[in-house]
Amino acid sequence: MFDAIIIGRGPAGLSASLYTARAKLKTLIIGKNESVLRKAGKIENYFGFSNPVSGEFLLNEGEKQAKRFGVQIIDDEVIAIEKDDFFNVITSNGRYTGKAVLLATGQPQKKIKIENLTEFEGKGVSYCSTCDGFFYNNLKVGVLGFKDFAVHEAIELETYTDNITIYTNGRELELSEKYIEEAKRFKINKKTITKLGGSEFLQRIFFDDGTSEEIDGIFVAYESASSLDFARKLGILVDGNSVVVDRNQQTNLDGLFAAGDCTGGFKQVSTAVGQGTLAGRKMIEYIRSL
Amino acid sequence: MAVKIYTTPSCPYCVMAKKYLDSKNVKYEEIDVSVDRDAAMEMVRKSRQRGVPVLDIDGNIVIGFDKDRIDSLI
Ligand SMILES: Cc1cc2nc3c(=O)[nH]c(=O)nc-3n(C[C@H](O)[C@H](O)[C@H](O)COP(=O)(O)OP(=O)(O)OC[C@H]3O[C@@H](n4cnc5c(N)ncnc54)[C@H](O)[C@@H]3O)c2cc1C
C-alpha cells in the first residue's frame, strides 16, 4: 500500500512527489515517458535558469531529484482508477493501492474524428462503460480503441453482453502481454471507420472498404486513458477538457487531487510546478488525517 | 414539485446528483433502470438518449448531472 500515488511524470507530478516523499510518505509515480515538455527544445521563462534549458533536461533533473528523496517511479500506463476504501490504480502491468491519488496526466489529447461520432453521443456512443453499459444488455457493442485501455473496457462490458468487437480504426493492436491474452476472446476489426449511421439511435458502422456492420453501441476508449476518462468513471467534475479542482487542488472526490495541464488554465511549467507543490502539501494533510 | 431521478447502481454521476438534491432538501423518487426495464424505456423515450442520470423535474428533462440546469428548475 502506498500513501500517495501520482499519475504522470511531468513537472506537476514530479513536484508533488518531492513534498510527499520528504514528508516520509510512501510515494509512487506511475507514468509514461511522454510529458509534452519533452518536445520543448528551449525553455526561457522558467525561474532560476539564466540560460535556456531544454524540457528534456528539466524532466531528467526532476526525476533524479524525486528519486533522491525515495520516490519510486514506474514506467507504465494507467488504464483505470477505482475507489473503494482506498484507491486502486490499474496499469498495463500491475495494480497498486494508495490512500490518495494525484492526477497529473497533462492535457487530454483530442483523440479521434469520425463522422457522426459526437452526433450519436448518448444515443449509442458512450465514453463510460461503467455508467451506460447496462443499456446494452445482450446487444452488439463495439469498443473503439487499440490499446490496453480498450481491452479493459471490453472486459467491463462482458457483464452486459458477450457480443463485443474491438474496432481499432485502422491501427494495429498495441497491447501488453497480459492484455494480448485477454483480447483473444473478443472479435477484432481493424478496418478504418468512415462514419456512423442510424436514425434516432446508432445502428450502423461504416468502413473505408465500402462495407458496414450493424451495431447498437460504441464505447470510445481510444489511445491511452486521459484525465477525462478517469473523471467520468469516478464521477469527478470536469469543465470542458479540464478537471475541476478547488483552491487546494482537491477534486470533488475526497483523496483525489489534480494538478498541471489536466486542470486547464495557464499551461506552463511554472504553473504545473506550483499546482503540484500545493497538491503535494494538501495530500500530506489528507493522508495524515486518515 | 415532482422530481424523478433515473439511475444505475454503478454510475458515479447519479450518486452526485442525488447528493446534490439531498443538500438542497429536494425530495425525489429514484428509479433504478438496471432492474426496471419499463422505466428504462420510459427514460429513453423522455430523454431521447441512453445515458444516466436523467432527472425529470416537473416534466423538464435534465440529462446528466447538470448543476446549473437543476438549479434553474428546483
Ligand atoms: C512544444 C512545447 C513547448 C512548450 N514550451 C514551454 C515553455 O517554454 N515554457 C513553459 O513554461 N511551458 C512550456 N510548454 C508547456 C509545458 O510543457 C506544460 O505546461 C507542462 O509540461 C505541463 O506539465 P504537466 O505535469 O501538467 O503535464 P505533462 O508534462 O504533459 O505530463 C503528463 C504526464 O502524464 C503522463 N500520462 C498521461 N496519461 C497517462 C496514463 N494514462 N498513464 C500513465 N501516465 C500518463 C504522461 O506520460 C506524462 O508523464 C510547452 C509545451 C510544448 C508542447
Side-chain angles (χ1 to χ4, degrees):
Chain A
M1 159 90 86
F2 287 88
D3 292 310
I5 298 183
I6 294 167
I7 305 172
R9 45 205 274 217
L14 286 164
S15 297
S17 79
L18 302 178
Y19 288 82
T20 55
R22 278 165 59 91
K24 303 267 184 294
L25 297 180
K26 199 172 169 200
T27 302
L28 172 69
I29 296 184
I30 308 171
K32 296 173 292 162
N33 208 359
E34 285 173 7
S35 160
V36 286
L37 187 54
R38 243 172 240 290
K39 296 184 197 136
K42 262 189 186 178
I43 309 278
E44 308 212 49
N45 53 4
Y46 186 56
F47 175 78
F49 294 89
S50 52
N51 290 309
V53 282
S54 70
E56 182 92 30
F57 172 82
L58 281 180
L59 286 168
N60 292 344
E61 288 300 306
E63 291 209 1
K64 278 191 226 160
Q65 191 181 7
K67 284 182 181 156
R68 183 159 71 84
F69 297 123
V71 177
Q72 204 178 322
I73 302 180
I74 298 180
D75 191 353
D76 205 345
E77 180 166 331
V78 176
I79 48 184
I81 307 171
E82 291 166 2
K83 171 92 167 73
D84 41 46
D85 288 345
F86 296 109
F87 290 93
N88 294 313
V89 178
I90 295 139
T91 68
S92 291
N93 301 304
R95 187 184 179 95
Y96 306 89
T97 307
K99 295 176 186 167
V101 166
L102 175 67
L103 285 182
T105 45
Q107 189 175 14
Q109 303 301 313
K110 261 257 163 277
K111 288 183 171 177
I112 186 170
K113 272 198 192 141
I114 291 175
E115 198 182 323
N116 295 335
L117 191 70
T118 30
E119 281 72 6
F120 283 111
E121 255 174 46
K123 298 165 187 269
V125 172
S126 169
Y127 289 81
C128 181
S129 56
T130 326
C131 316
D132 303 332
F134 159 77
F135 286 95
Y136 300 91
N137 263 335
N138 300 320
L139 296 181
K140 182 178 179 199
V141 300
V143 176
L144 196 53
F146 57 93
K147 298 184 103 180
D148 294 345
F149 177 36
V151 180
H152 182 265
E153 289 298 286
I155 294 169
E156 294 222 319
L157 286 166
E158 283 183 300
T159 319
Y160 309 104
T161 178
D162 51 17
N163 194 348
I164 303 171
T165 307
I166 296 176
Y167 294 96
T168 69
N169 190 30
R171 304 283 296 250
E172 283 303 318
L173 288 171
E174 289 175 19
L175 305 179
S176 64
E177 249 168 61
K178 177 175 154 207
Y179 284 93
I180 290 175
E181 260 327 292
E182 301 273 11
K184 284 184 181 154
R185 55 181 195 273
F186 302 110
K187 286 169 263 183
I188 310 287
N189 180 322
K190 294 188 184 171
K191 293 178 190 177
T192 302
I193 301 164
T194 48
K195 67 172 182 184
L196 303 180
S199 51
E200 191 174 3
F201 289 96
L202 173 69
Q203 287 166 325
R204 282 199 97 73
I205 178 167
F206 295 85
F207 306 101
D208 68 345
D209 62 358
T211 60
S212 68
E213 280 179 12
E214 261 185 41
I215 190 102
D216 299 301
I218 287 193
F219 289 79
V220 183
Y222 213 65
E223 300 270 0
S224 305
S226 74
S227 47
L228 298 179
D229 298 303
F230 301 134
R232 281 186 199 104
K233 294 213 165 174
L234 290 166
I236 296 166
L237 287 179
V238 296
D239 180 7
N241 270 345
S242 308
V243 174
V244 175
V245 288
D246 66 12
R247 289 173 62 185
N248 296 327
Q249 304 302 133
Q250 161 83 59
T251 68
N252 57 295
L253 182 64
D254 271 356
L256 193 94
F257 297 77
D261 283 5
C262 68
T263 65
F266 191 33
K267 299 190 178 79
Q268 290 284 287
V269 179
S270 52
T271 36
V273 167
Q275 292 184 358
T277 299
L278 184 56
R281 176 73 230 157
K282 294 297 166 184
M283 287 171 90
I284 297 167
E285 284 172 20
Y286 173 80
I287 292 163
R288 288 192 176 149
S289 75
L290 290 178
Chain B
M1 183 168 55
V3 181
K4 273 188 190 176
I5 175 164
Y6 297 87
T7 63
T8 63
S10 54
C11 135
Y13 291 101
C14 301
V15 178
M16 287 174 64
K18 285 189 289 177
K19 273 197 189 151
Y20 189 66
L21 292 175
D22 288 339
S23 77
K24 298 273 169 184
N25 286 321
V26 174
K27 294 228 173 328
Y28 53 85
E29 180 192 352
E30 179 177 0
I31 300 162
D32 180 353
V33 294
S34 73
V35 291
D36 187 341
R37 191 80 207 153
D38 291 342
M41 300 306 287
E42 177 185 273
M43 184 203 99
V44 172
R45 186 176 48 73
K46 279 186 186 173
S47 69
R48 310 176 83 82
Q49 59 88 53
R50 293 191 190 118
V52 278
V54 167
L55 287 86
D56 178 338
I57 305 175
D58 284 336
N60 299 296
I61 302 301
V62 182
I63 297 167
F65 176 45
D66 182 342
K67 223 185 203 162
D68 296 342
R69 210 49 236 295
I70 295 172
D71 280 340
S72 70
L73 293 170
I74 60 176

